[in-house]
Amino acid sequence: MDRFKKKFSIMMKFTLELSNLSTCKRRGQGAIIIQSDFSAVPAIGYNGPAAGLSNDFCTNQISKCGCAHAEANAIGKLGHYPYRSLVMLCTEDPCSACANAIINCGKIGLFISFMPYSDSSGVFRITEAGILFERLNTNNPDTLHVLKNGVLSSIQRRMTALTNGVRNQ
C-alpha cells in the first residue's frame, strides 16, 4: 500500500473509532479535522449531548434527539486553529445545520464522507459554498483498494492542492 493510502486508511479508522465513543442512543458518528498533508489532527468530534450534560439527555427521536453532531463538535474544538484549507473526514454526509457550521468556520477546504446521509441538502450547501466534497460509499478502511477507480487519486490530488494553497482542484 502506498504511503498516501496507508495514512488515509489510518485516519479513516480513527474517524470510525471515534463513532464508538458516541453517547447518542440513535446512531454513532465520528468526525476528524486534519491538515491536508496529514501532519496534524487539530480537532475531533463524535455525536452526543452538549458538554456537561448527562448522557441520558438523548431522546432517541429522529431529528429531535438533542445530541450535537460529530461535525459540530469537531468544529467547536477547532477554535482559533491558524490554518485554513483543512480536511474533514466524517462517517456520513453533513446535515444542513452541520453544513452551515462547516461553511461558517471558514477553514474546511475538503469534506470526505464515508457514507450518504438521508438528506443530501448538506452536501449541496457545502459544494455551493466552494468546499470540495468526496464520498467513499464505504465505511470499511480495508476496502479502500477496491474503491471505484480514481476516487482515492482524486482525494489525493485535492489534498495535495490544498497543501500547496490551490483550492479548486
Side-chain angles (χ1 to χ4, degrees):
M1 181 183 299
D2 72 23
R3 191 107 173 113
F4 177 83
K5 280 186 184 176
K6 187 173 187 175
K7 288 180 178 182
F8 190 84
S9 176
I10 289 168
M11 293 300 159
M12 187 176 180
K13 288 175 185 174
F14 182 41
T15 305
L16 291 164
E17 285 297 320
L18 283 172
S19 69
N20 292 324
L21 293 175
S22 169
T23 55
C24 180
K25 296 173 186 171
R26 273 190 350 94
R27 63 197 313 159
Q29 300 298 324
I32 65 171
I33 299 173
I34 63 173
Q35 284 188 204
S36 56
D37 62 359
F38 295 107
S39 64
V41 180
I44 64 170
Y46 50 88
N47 56 335
L53 294 179
S54 165
N55 289 340
D56 296 327
F57 185 75
C58 178
T59 65
N60 198 19
Q61 296 178 13
I62 295 174
S63 299
K64 299 181 204 172
C65 77
C67 292
H69 291 190
E71 305 96 318
N73 278 327
I75 289 169
K77 293 173 186 159
L78 193 58
H80 297 291
Y81 194 75
Y83 298 104
R84 296 189 178 282
S85 298
L86 300 171
V87 178
M88 179 178 271
L89 283 80
C90 193
T91 50
E92 282 189 356
D93 296 350
C95 68
S96 60
C98 286
N100 288 337
I102 291 164
I103 294 163
N104 286 342
C105 89
K107 296 183 179 191
I108 307 299
L110 171 62
F111 187 98
I112 301 170
S113 165
F114 302 162
M115 298 297 288
Y117 181 63
S118 58
D119 175 8
S120 62
S121 63
V123 172
F124 176 77
R125 284 178 193 228
I126 63 172
T127 56
E128 282 292 304
I131 296 170
L132 303 172
F133 175 80
E134 291 280 353
R135 183 184 301 127
L136 299 178
N137 287 315
T138 182
N139 57 9
N140 183 351
D142 297 328
T143 62
L144 287 177
H145 65 285
V146 295
L147 284 177
K148 188 172 89 177
N149 196 11
V151 172
L152 271 184
S153 60
S154 173
I155 290 171
Q156 184 175 11
R157 188 175 60 255
R158 288 175 164 196
M159 288 177 74
T160 300
L162 289 173
T163 299
N164 295 331
V166 181
R167 200 163 152 107
N168 293 320
Q169 291 290 318

